[in-house]
Amino acid sequence: MKKQPAKTVVTENKISKPGNPYYSNTDTTKLHVSDAEWKKVLSDDVYAVMRKANTERPFTGKYWNTDEKGTYYCASCGNELFRSGAKFSSSCGWPSFFEQQNKNSVVYKVDNSLSMERTEALCGRCGGHLGHLFDDGPAPTGKRYCMNSIALDFIPDSAK
């Protein structure tokens, strides 16, 4: 039976996901959670992308074409990743940002899959696969963080 995504609950600037004890938008402690434990607490789709580095199809994710103001968090652990002010329309089919929220929110690793070298973007707290980083973004950074929508939770400014 396919697990359904956990509902995100927002109360007084705190975000939680009942059933996922590792989800917190206030705790920045690096997580060391086994793959078996992630499989228990994440929906099948989120697990496939975030723990197995799958990619959602372009133009299908819920955030690729939105411009609402707010904050994007890691769908696995709640780590704050991006502000909407850094989001831009790249027409690539995935949400794109030109900078991460802070220097520790996203970390990187070399990805040699698909017979090419790319830079994989990972959550700085839980190590979950978010997408890839490219050098074809707009000023001021010239970067394009090409993220999977399913790897992100979005909380509008109006909900905080």
Side-chain angles (χ1 to χ4, degrees), residues 56 61-72 81-101 137-141 143-149 152-154:
E56 66 190 2
K62 57 187 170 184
Y63 302 127
W64 80 270
N65 196 27
T66 62
D67 60 1
E68 192 172 1
K69 302 299 178 213
T71 305
Y72 292 85
L81 300 171
F82 304 99
R83 292 283 301 146
S84 59
K87 190 172 187 284
F88 68 98
S89 178
S90 67
S91 302
C92 69
W94 292 277
S96 298
F97 303 87
F98 60 80
E99 69 183 349
Q100 61 195 55
Q101 179 57 19
T141 65
K143 301 291 184 193
R144 175 171 56 99
Y145 293 79
C146 185
M147 304 290 98
N148 288 288
S149 286
L152 305 173
D153 281 335
F154 177 74

Side-chain angles (χ1 to χ4, degrees), residues 2-10 15-24 37-47 50 62-63 73-78 149-155:
K2 185 176 178 180
K3 285 184 288 203
Q4 295 300 311
K7 181 173 172 60
T8 304
V9 179
V10 181
I15 305 169
S16 63
K17 281 191 178 179
N20 182 346
Y22 311 107
Y23 196 93
S24 171
E37 185 63 20
W38 281 123
K39 193 159 185 66
K40 289 179 192 174
V41 300
L42 299 177
S43 70
D44 294 340
D45 293 345
V46 172
Y47 176 82
M50 300 211 67
K62 57 187 170 184
Y63 302 127
Y73 298 88
C74 173
S76 288
C77 73
S149 286
I150 199 166
L152 305 173
D153 281 335
F154 177 74
I155 304 300

Side-chain angles (χ1 to χ4, degrees), residues 71-137:
T71 305
Y72 292 85
Y73 298 88
C74 173
S76 288
C77 73
N79 187 35
E80 186 174 350
L81 300 171
F82 304 99
R83 292 283 301 146
S84 59
K87 190 172 187 284
F88 68 98
S89 178
S90 67
S91 302
C92 69
W94 292 277
S96 298
F97 303 87
F98 60 80
E99 69 183 349
Q100 61 195 55
Q101 179 57 19
N102 65 61
K103 66 181 178 107
N104 298 317
S105 59
V106 179
V107 296
Y108 313 96
K109 129 179 156 178
V110 174
D111 174 3
N112 289 312
S113 65
L114 302 179
S115 301
M116 67 176 101
E117 184 172 306
R118 299 181 292 170
T119 302
E120 183 179 8
L122 307 164
C123 173
R125 181 168 182 246
C126 73
H129 173 78
L130 301 169
H132 290 87
L133 176 64
F134 300 98
D135 290 324
D136 61 0

